[in-house]
Amino acid sequence: MPLEAGLLEILACPACHAPLEEQATELICTGQDCGLAYPVRDGIPVLLVDEARRPA
């Protein structure tokens, strides 16, 4: 279930404040040094650094 475009425009990575990009069921940080992937559960972004997946 895609997020609304307006919502995605105002969301930012809590760790580095870079914009987020939607990919499947995650929001991926676009920051070069960060790259955290935040889960989206039931259409709600979980923007907690402790819940984020580290880049591979």
Side-chain angles (χ1 to χ4, degrees):
M1 176 180 193
L3 296 175
E4 293 181 26
L7 178 61
L8 194 54
E9 289 177 11
I10 62 171
L11 293 178
C13 176
C16 72
H17 308 291
L20 297 170
E21 179 180 283
E22 190 172 15
Q23 292 183 1
T25 61
E26 296 181 316
L27 294 178
I28 309 295
C29 176
T30 59
Q32 282 185 316
D33 296 331
C34 186
L36 291 173
Y38 298 93
V40 177
R41 295 185 186 126
D42 297 323
I44 301 169
V46 181
L47 298 178
L48 299 171
V49 175
D50 292 342
E51 293 284 324
R53 179 178 56 80
R54 300 275 173 203

